[in-house]
Amino acid sequence: MAVHVIKPIIEVIMMIHGTGTPPYSTNTNASGSNSPANAPPPYSLFPDQPQQPRVTEGDAADLVLRYLANDLGYDQRNRTSVLERVIRIHNAMAENAADQLVLAGQDDFAAKFPKLNQWIDKKLSFLNHNQLMEFAFASGHFNEYSQAHEYNRGNLKSTITDFFQRYFSQEGLDSGVTKLDLLQSTNILYQNSEQLDKFTEVYSDVSCLEVIKAMEESADSSNFNFPAALPIARNIGISWRIFTISLGHPFNSYYADQTYNNCGRNILKTMLTILHDFALRGRPTEDLIDKLTPTFIGRTDLSEGLAKALQRS
């Protein structure tokens, strides 16, 4: 989910309570005065404003999470993406390296699996952005791509590394390496001879890499055939909007336009996002065939191609 506005903690607290003075829990200290429990020193938003007791760190954290959940409607998965982005913005603004924060899962990867991390940087950095998106979708890890892209603000090199860290953490080493064949079998490399040469080198040194055990597969989308659906996103072209609306609730015109704008008006990314959402809602791949027929958008080539791909799988 795209994040359009992230407000500073103090602003969020004030919005929740509708006042310029943040609330705070009080605790009687040794001198008998009331002050926020374990709170930082008082503050003032403006030079001429009296100092206000500062909300405790614990209360501030609770209020921010409550605001994300109740007022903005973010579930836990999407709150994770928001907080990752907050941390990245915080780190970019930090004047001292000591003030920067680390994400345990991401930073632990390089420490736990240094050989695999170096292998990712060396062997998979040849992918371009569209190829990375297509592979993430075909392999069933488009959510991991979205998180990596959001966290790294679109920086391709960092997104590739971050994505494959998440990918191998989910898939495990054996399955993750095996699925890399999708780069060739789904024509993601577009028969680019230079990239194909680099792809042949991907499997070298695999036996020396650290072993990662696979995590349990998500039940929501495990039956969806992502590789078979990939050509739809790649070739739908200007018919993408009519096709999206034909999918039925909640894929209406508002949903289509919002997704298109959130994806930077990139049709490929828009369609990958929509098809991924379609899969997460438990809809079977076969339901897409009728939506590609002349009754809807007249893409018989895509409907027949999808039907044949599903028969082969």
Side-chain angles (χ1 to χ4, degrees):
M1 180 180 290
V3 181
H4 300 290
V5 178
I6 297 181
K7 295 184 176 294
I9 289 178
I10 292 298
E11 291 184 29
V12 170
I13 295 168
M14 290 191 300
M15 285 183 65
I16 294 173
H17 292 268
T19 175
T21 304
Y24 57 90
S25 60
T26 59
N27 183 38
T28 302
N29 58 26
S31 63
S33 62
N34 289 332
S35 63
N38 303 317
Y43 76 102
S44 61
L45 292 177
F46 305 101
D48 59 345
Q49 184 184 58
Q51 286 195 332
Q52 304 288 342
R54 193 184 296 268
V55 67
T56 67
E57 294 174 3
D59 286 344
D62 289 341
L63 290 168
V64 170
L65 290 175
R66 199 180 311 147
Y67 181 73
L68 287 172
N70 299 337
D71 293 68
L72 297 182
Y74 281 88
D75 59 20
Q76 181 150 6
R77 184 187 70 181
N78 290 315
R79 287 200 300 274
T80 299
S81 299
V82 173
L83 294 173
E84 284 184 356
R85 183 166 179 176
V86 169
I87 290 172
R88 181 162 180 82
I89 293 173
H90 166 83
N91 289 345
M93 295 172 61
E95 296 181 0
N96 301 314
D99 293 328
Q100 295 184 346
L101 302 173
V102 295
L103 292 171
Q106 296 306 109
D107 294 273
D108 284 352
F109 188 95
K112 290 180 179 178
F113 313 108
K115 293 180 181 178
L116 178 55
N117 197 62
Q118 292 176 5
W119 181 84
I120 290 171
D121 289 338
K122 181 179 179 181
K123 301 293 186 179
L124 299 171
S125 60
F126 66 87
L127 297 173
N128 64 39
H129 214 134
N130 283 354
Q131 290 170 336
L132 181 62
M133 281 196 299
E134 290 190 1
F135 174 76
F137 177 83
S139 63
H141 291 277
F142 195 72
N143 189 54
E144 283 71 37
Y145 159 78
S146 298
Q147 292 174 347
H149 181 266
E150 182 78 13
Y151 179 72
N152 294 284
R153 295 188 175 184
N155 180 284
L156 179 58
K157 184 178 185 302
S158 298
T159 301
I160 289 174
T161 300
D162 193 344
F163 165 74
F164 279 108
Q165 288 179 350
R166 298 170 189 264
Y167 167 80
F168 280 108
S169 295
Q170 291 279 332
E171 283 287 340
L173 181 64
D174 292 342
S175 176
V177 169
T178 299
K179 279 192 174 183
L180 290 176
D181 186 61
L182 289 167
L183 289 167
Q184 189 169 20
S185 64
T186 60
N187 203 28
I188 291 174
L189 299 184
Y190 307 118
Q191 302 302 314
N192 182 306
S193 59
E194 182 179 351
Q195 286 191 324
L196 288 172
D197 288 341
K198 292 180 179 179
F199 179 68
T200 60
E201 301 174 3
V202 165
Y203 297 102
S204 63
D205 304 326
V206 169
S207 60
C208 300
L209 302 179
E210 300 92 348
V211 175
I212 302 180
K213 293 183 179 180
M215 297 180 66
E216 186 176 350
E217 188 176 20
S218 170
D220 291 336
S221 57
S222 59
N223 293 324
F224 190 86
N225 194 321
F226 289 99
L230 177 58
I232 300 174
R234 187 186 288 157
N235 300 304
I236 196 72
I238 61 174
S239 301
W240 73 269
R241 193 172 185 275
I242 298 174
F243 171 74
T244 300
I245 297 172
S246 74
L247 299 177
H249 181 76
F251 302 96
N252 53 27
S253 59
Y254 174 79
Y255 172 96
D257 294 340
Q258 184 182 48
T259 304
Y260 182 57
N261 290 328
N262 289 344
C263 292
R265 297 176 176 268
N266 180 315
I267 293 178
L268 174 62
K269 186 175 182 180
T270 299
M271 281 309 306
L272 292 174
T273 302
I274 290 170
L275 290 173
H276 179 252
D277 193 6
F278 182 88
L280 290 181
R281 294 174 186 276
R283 303 279 292 275
T285 322
E286 291 80 0
D287 283 3
L288 298 172
I289 296 176
D290 290 342
K291 309 304 181 183
L292 296 165
T293 59
T295 305
F296 289 96
I297 63 171
R299 291 300 302 267
T300 306
D301 58 327
L302 292 178
S303 64
E304 292 179 350
L306 177 59
K308 290 178 181 178
L310 293 177
Q311 289 176 358
R312 291 193 299 267
S313 62

Short mmCIF file of all heavy atoms in Angstrom, two decimals, residues 188-217:
data_model
loop_
_atom_site.label_atom_id
_atom_site.label_comp_id
_atom_site.label_asym_id
_atom_site.label_seq_id
_atom_site.Cartn_x
_atom_site.Cartn_y
_atom_site.Cartn_z
N ILE A 188 11.32 -13.66 -19.04
CA ILE A 188 11.57 -12.38 -18.38
C ILE A 188 12.83 -11.72 -18.92
O ILE A 188 12.91 -10.49 -19.03
CB ILE A 188 11.66 -12.58 -16.86
CG1 ILE A 188 10.29 -12.96 -16.28
CG2 ILE A 188 12.21 -11.32 -16.16
CD1 ILE A 188 10.31 -13.32 -14.82
N LEU A 189 13.80 -12.52 -19.31
CA LEU A 189 15.05 -11.96 -19.83
C LEU A 189 14.96 -11.57 -21.30
O LEU A 189 15.93 -11.07 -21.87
CB LEU A 189 16.19 -12.97 -19.64
CG LEU A 189 16.49 -13.36 -18.19
CD1 LEU A 189 17.69 -14.29 -18.11
CD2 LEU A 189 16.74 -12.12 -17.34
N TYR A 190 13.77 -11.78 -21.92
CA TYR A 190 13.52 -11.31 -23.29
C TYR A 190 14.56 -11.77 -24.31
O TYR A 190 14.88 -11.06 -25.26
CB TYR A 190 13.45 -9.77 -23.32
CG TYR A 190 12.50 -9.18 -22.34
CD1 TYR A 190 12.94 -8.34 -21.34
CD2 TYR A 190 11.14 -9.48 -22.39
CE1 TYR A 190 12.06 -7.77 -20.42
CE2 TYR A 190 10.25 -8.94 -21.47
CZ TYR A 190 10.72 -8.09 -20.49
OH TYR A 190 9.85 -7.56 -19.59
N GLN A 191 15.16 -12.91 -24.06
CA GLN A 191 16.17 -13.45 -24.97
C GLN A 191 17.34 -12.50 -25.16
O GLN A 191 17.98 -12.45 -26.20
CB GLN A 191 15.54 -13.79 -26.34
CG GLN A 191 14.40 -14.78 -26.27
CD GLN A 191 14.83 -16.10 -25.62
OE1 GLN A 191 15.89 -16.63 -25.95
NE2 GLN A 191 14.01 -16.60 -24.70
N ASN A 192 17.61 -11.69 -24.14
CA ASN A 192 18.75 -10.79 -24.16
C ASN A 192 20.02 -11.62 -23.98
O ASN A 192 20.24 -12.21 -22.93
CB ASN A 192 18.61 -9.76 -23.03
CG ASN A 192 19.72 -8.73 -23.00
OD1 ASN A 192 20.89 -9.08 -22.97
ND2 ASN A 192 19.35 -7.46 -23.01
N SER A 193 20.85 -11.68 -25.03
CA SER A 193 21.99 -12.59 -25.02
C SER A 193 22.97 -12.27 -23.89
O SER A 193 23.51 -13.18 -23.25
CB SER A 193 22.72 -12.54 -26.36
OG SER A 193 23.17 -11.22 -26.66
N GLU A 194 23.19 -10.98 -23.62
CA GLU A 194 24.12 -10.62 -22.56
C GLU A 194 23.59 -11.05 -21.20
O GLU A 194 24.33 -11.59 -20.37
CB GLU A 194 24.36 -9.10 -22.58
CG GLU A 194 25.36 -8.65 -21.52
CD GLU A 194 25.61 -7.14 -21.57
OE1 GLU A 194 25.14 -6.50 -22.54
OE2 GLU A 194 26.25 -6.62 -20.63
N GLN A 195 22.30 -10.83 -20.98
CA GLN A 195 21.71 -11.24 -19.71
C GLN A 195 21.63 -12.76 -19.59
O GLN A 195 21.82 -13.31 -18.50
CB GLN A 195 20.33 -10.63 -19.56
CG GLN A 195 20.33 -9.14 -19.26
CD GLN A 195 18.96 -8.63 -18.87
OE1 GLN A 195 17.95 -9.08 -19.40
NE2 GLN A 195 18.91 -7.70 -17.94
N LEU A 196 21.37 -13.44 -20.69
CA LEU A 196 21.31 -14.89 -20.65
C LEU A 196 22.66 -15.48 -20.29
O LEU A 196 22.75 -16.50 -19.60
CB LEU A 196 20.81 -15.44 -21.99
CG LEU A 196 19.32 -15.23 -22.27
CD1 LEU A 196 18.98 -15.63 -23.71
CD2 LEU A 196 18.46 -16.03 -21.29
N ASP A 197 23.72 -14.85 -20.78
CA ASP A 197 25.07 -15.30 -20.42
C ASP A 197 25.30 -15.13 -18.92
O ASP A 197 25.88 -16.01 -18.26
CB ASP A 197 26.13 -14.51 -21.19
CG ASP A 197 26.18 -14.89 -22.67
OD1 ASP A 197 25.68 -15.98 -23.01
OD2 ASP A 197 26.70 -14.09 -23.47
N LYS A 198 24.84 -14.01 -18.38
CA LYS A 198 24.99 -13.78 -16.95
C LYS A 198 24.11 -14.75 -16.16
O LYS A 198 24.49 -15.19 -15.06
CB LYS A 198 24.62 -12.34 -16.60
CG LYS A 198 25.60 -11.32 -17.14
CD LYS A 198 25.20 -9.91 -16.76
CE LYS A 198 26.21 -8.89 -17.28
NZ LYS A 198 25.83 -7.50 -16.93
N PHE A 199 22.96 -15.10 -16.73
CA PHE A 199 22.06 -16.03 -16.04
C PHE A 199 22.69 -17.41 -15.90
O PHE A 199 22.47 -18.10 -14.90
CB PHE A 199 20.74 -16.13 -16.80
CG PHE A 199 19.76 -17.08 -16.17
CD1 PHE A 199 19.17 -16.79 -14.95
CD2 PHE A 199 19.43 -18.27 -16.80
CE1 PHE A 199 18.27 -17.67 -14.36
CE2 PHE A 199 18.53 -19.15 -16.22
CZ PHE A 199 17.95 -18.85 -15.00
N THR A 200 23.48 -17.83 -16.91
CA THR A 200 24.13 -19.14 -16.82
C THR A 200 25.14 -19.19 -15.68
O THR A 200 25.47 -20.28 -15.19
CB THR A 200 24.84 -19.47 -18.15
OG1 THR A 200 25.84 -18.47 -18.41
CG2 THR A 200 23.86 -19.52 -19.30
N GLU A 201 25.61 -18.03 -15.24
CA GLU A 201 26.58 -17.99 -14.14
C GLU A 201 25.90 -17.96 -12.77
O GLU A 201 26.58 -18.08 -11.74
CB GLU A 201 27.48 -16.75 -14.29
CG GLU A 201 28.26 -16.72 -15.60
CD GLU A 201 29.03 -15.41 -15.76
OE1 GLU A 201 28.98 -14.59 -14.82
OE2 GLU A 201 29.67 -15.23 -16.81
N VAL A 202 24.58 -17.77 -12.76
CA VAL A 202 23.86 -17.64 -11.50
C VAL A 202 24.04 -18.88 -10.63
O VAL A 202 24.17 -18.78 -9.39
CB VAL A 202 22.35 -17.38 -11.76
CG1 VAL A 202 21.53 -17.61 -10.50
CG2 VAL A 202 22.15 -15.95 -12.25
N TYR A 203 24.05 -20.05 -11.24
CA TYR A 203 24.05 -21.29 -10.47
C TYR A 203 25.44 -21.71 -9.99
O TYR A 203 25.57 -22.69 -9.26
CB TYR A 203 23.42 -22.41 -11.29
CG TYR A 203 21.98 -22.16 -11.62
CD1 TYR A 203 21.60 -21.71 -12.88
CD2 TYR A 203 20.97 -22.33 -10.67
CE1 TYR A 203 20.27 -21.45 -13.19
CE2 TYR A 203 19.64 -22.07 -10.96
CZ TYR A 203 19.31 -21.64 -12.23
OH TYR A 203 17.99 -21.37 -12.52
N SER A 204 26.45 -20.97 -10.41
CA SER A 204 27.80 -21.32 -9.95
C SER A 204 27.95 -20.95 -8.48
O SER A 204 27.39 -19.96 -8.00
CB SER A 204 28.85 -20.59 -10.79
OG SER A 204 28.75 -19.19 -10.64
N ASP A 205 28.70 -21.75 -7.77
CA ASP A 205 29.01 -21.51 -6.35
C ASP A 205 27.81 -21.70 -5.42
O ASP A 205 27.91 -21.39 -4.23
CB ASP A 205 29.57 -20.10 -6.13
CG ASP A 205 30.80 -19.82 -6.98
OD1 ASP A 205 31.58 -20.76 -7.21
OD2 ASP A 205 30.97 -18.66 -7.41
N VAL A 206 26.68 -22.20 -5.93
CA VAL A 206 25.50 -22.37 -5.08
C VAL A 206 25.77 -23.35 -3.95
O VAL A 206 25.28 -23.18 -2.82
CB VAL A 206 24.29 -22.85 -5.93
CG1 VAL A 206 23.14 -23.28 -5.04
CG2 VAL A 206 23.84 -21.73 -6.86
N SER A 207 26.56 -24.37 -4.22
CA SER A 207 26.82 -25.40 -3.22
C SER A 207 27.58 -24.85 -2.00
O SER A 207 27.59 -25.48 -0.95
CB SER A 207 27.62 -26.55 -3.83
OG SER A 207 28.86 -26.08 -4.34
N CYS A 208 28.21 -23.70 -2.17
CA CYS A 208 28.98 -23.12 -1.07
C CYS A 208 28.16 -22.17 -0.20
O CYS A 208 28.66 -21.65 0.81
CB CYS A 208 30.19 -22.35 -1.63
SG CYS A 208 31.33 -23.38 -2.59
N LEU A 209 26.90 -21.93 -0.58
CA LEU A 209 26.09 -20.95 0.12
C LEU A 209 25.48 -21.53 1.40
O LEU A 209 25.26 -22.74 1.50
CB LEU A 209 24.97 -20.45 -0.79
CG LEU A 209 25.41 -19.80 -2.11
CD1 LEU A 209 24.21 -19.38 -2.93
CD2 LEU A 209 26.33 -18.61 -1.85
N GLU A 210 25.19 -20.64 2.35
CA GLU A 210 24.57 -21.07 3.59
C GLU A 210 23.14 -21.57 3.31
O GLU A 210 22.44 -21.04 2.45
CB GLU A 210 24.49 -19.92 4.59
CG GLU A 210 25.84 -19.33 4.97
CD GLU A 210 26.23 -18.14 4.10
OE1 GLU A 210 25.58 -17.93 3.06
OE2 GLU A 210 27.19 -17.45 4.45
N VAL A 211 22.72 -22.57 4.05
CA VAL A 211 21.39 -23.15 3.87
C VAL A 211 20.36 -22.36 4.67
O VAL A 211 20.58 -22.02 5.83
CB VAL A 211 21.37 -24.63 4.31
CG1 VAL A 211 19.95 -25.19 4.23
CG2 VAL A 211 22.33 -25.44 3.45
N ILE A 212 19.23 -22.03 4.00
CA ILE A 212 18.11 -21.40 4.68
C ILE A 212 16.91 -22.32 4.52
O ILE A 212 16.62 -22.77 3.40
CB ILE A 212 17.77 -20.03 4.07
CG1 ILE A 212 18.98 -19.10 4.13
CG2 ILE A 212 16.59 -19.39 4.80
CD1 ILE A 212 18.70 -17.73 3.54
N LYS A 213 16.21 -22.60 5.60
CA LYS A 213 15.02 -23.44 5.52
C LYS A 213 13.83 -22.61 5.03
O LYS A 213 13.68 -21.45 5.37
CB LYS A 213 14.71 -24.04 6.89
CG LYS A 213 15.75 -25.04 7.38
CD LYS A 213 15.35 -25.65 8.71
CE LYS A 213 16.37 -26.67 9.18
NZ LYS A 213 15.99 -27.29 10.48
N ALA A 214 12.97 -23.26 4.24
CA ALA A 214 11.80 -22.57 3.69
C ALA A 214 10.77 -22.33 4.77
O ALA A 214 10.60 -23.14 5.69
CB ALA A 214 11.19 -23.40 2.57
N MET A 215 10.08 -21.20 4.66
CA MET A 215 8.95 -20.91 5.53
C MET A 215 7.70 -21.50 4.92
O MET A 215 7.65 -21.82 3.73
CB MET A 215 8.80 -19.39 5.71
CG MET A 215 9.98 -18.73 6.40
SD MET A 215 9.77 -16.95 6.60
CE MET A 215 8.39 -16.90 7.73
N GLU A 216 6.65 -21.64 5.74
CA GLU A 216 5.39 -22.22 5.27
C GLU A 216 4.76 -21.33 4.21
O GLU A 216 4.73 -20.10 4.33
CB GLU A 216 4.42 -22.38 6.44
CG GLU A 216 3.13 -23.11 6.07
CD GLU A 216 2.23 -23.33 7.27
OE1 GLU A 216 2.71 -23.10 8.40
OE2 GLU A 216 1.08 -23.73 7.09
N GLU A 217 4.27 -21.94 3.13
CA GLU A 217 3.68 -21.19 2.04
C GLU A 217 2.35 -20.57 2.45
O GLU A 217 1.59 -21.16 3.22
CB GLU A 217 3.46 -22.12 0.84
CG GLU A 217 3.02 -21.39 -0.43
CD GLU A 217 2.92 -22.35 -1.61
OE1 GLU A 217 2.81 -23.57 -1.37
OE2 GLU A 217 2.92 -21.89 -2.76
#
